[in-house]
Amino acid sequence: DYLAEEILLHRAILFATTNIESYSNNPELTDISDDIIDNYTGELKEMRIELSKLIDTYGKNKEVLKEDDDYIKQYKLIVNKLIKDLSEIKESESNEKAYIQQAIALLQASHDISSIDNKCATSELVKEIAKDEITNTQGYISRLKTLESALK
C-alpha cells in the first residue's frame, strides 16, 4: 500500500507540474517543473516495476500488522491536510501562484507519506525510495517557495 500511494502522488505531482509547463512563461518556474518531471517520471517507472514485485512477494500475506494500523492513522491525517491545503488555494491567485501552491501541497503530502513509509515499511526498497523522496521533495518545496515569494 505504501508504494501504491506514492505512485498516486507522483502522478498528481506530474499532472500539476505539466500544468505549470503548459501555462507558465516564467523560465525559472518551468525549469523547476522540468526537473520535477524528469525526476518523478523516472521514479514512477521504477516504483511501478517494484510494486508488482512487492505484490508477488508480500501480496499473499493477509495478516494486518501493527505498522499497517500506524500507517493508516497517519496517512489519513496527511490526506486530510492535503485536501485542506488544496481547498485553501484562492481562485483569485494568478495561474502561476496557484500551480505553485498546488505543487507544494502535493510535494508536502508526498514528503509526509515518505516519512511514514520510512518508519512503517518492511521492504528495504520501499525505505530507500522513501529516503530519496524525502530529500527530493524538500529541495523542490524550497525552490518553489522561494519562487512563490519572488512572485508576490
Side-chain angles (χ1 to χ4, degrees):
D1 287 347
Y2 311 136
L3 205 51
E5 275 118 16
E6 280 295 341
I7 288 171
L8 289 174
L9 274 170
H10 272 56
R11 292 177 68 193
I13 291 166
L14 286 169
F15 179 77
T17 51
T18 300
N19 279 340
I20 290 171
E21 286 212 327
S22 299
Y23 297 106
S24 177
N25 293 326
N26 183 317
E28 191 173 352
L29 183 55
T30 54
D31 184 47
I32 295 169
S33 297
D34 282 342
D35 289 349
I36 292 171
I37 289 169
D38 289 345
N39 183 45
Y40 280 67
T41 301
E43 284 185 1
L44 186 60
K45 288 177 185 175
E46 289 176 24
M47 283 192 267
R48 285 181 174 159
I49 292 166
E50 293 308 320
L51 181 60
S52 64
K53 291 178 186 174
L54 287 172
I55 289 171
D56 290 343
T57 304
Y58 297 104
K60 297 170 182 77
N61 184 4
K62 301 296 181 202
E63 179 183 340
V64 177
L65 304 172
K66 178 187 176 299
E67 292 85 1
D68 291 339
D69 288 338
D70 292 344
Y71 177 84
I72 291 167
K73 288 176 191 170
Q74 293 177 50
Y75 176 78
K76 287 179 182 179
L77 294 173
I78 294 167
V79 169
N80 289 337
K81 182 183 180 309
L82 174 61
I83 291 167
K84 180 181 173 283
D85 290 348
L86 290 173
S87 69
E88 289 177 351
I89 297 172
K90 296 180 179 85
E91 291 180 24
S92 60
E93 294 285 0
S94 70
N95 281 345
E96 286 181 342
K97 285 182 74 175
Y99 292 142
I100 289 171
Q101 292 168 358
Q102 289 170 359
I104 289 171
L106 291 164
L107 286 163
Q108 186 62 54
S110 182
H111 175 276
D112 296 346
I113 286 179
S114 293
S115 295
I116 58 174
D117 285 353
N118 199 30
K119 185 177 90 172
C120 297
T122 55
S123 165
E124 288 305 313
L125 176 68
V126 171
K127 288 183 179 193
E128 181 182 325
I129 290 170
K131 286 177 187 173
D132 289 344
E133 186 66 17
I134 290 167
T135 302
N136 290 336
T137 54
Q138 287 172 332
Y140 293 133
I141 289 169
S142 175
R143 289 174 68 190
L144 287 168
K145 283 184 177 180
T146 300
L147 184 57
E148 181 183 24
S149 295
L151 291 175
K152 288 184 180 181

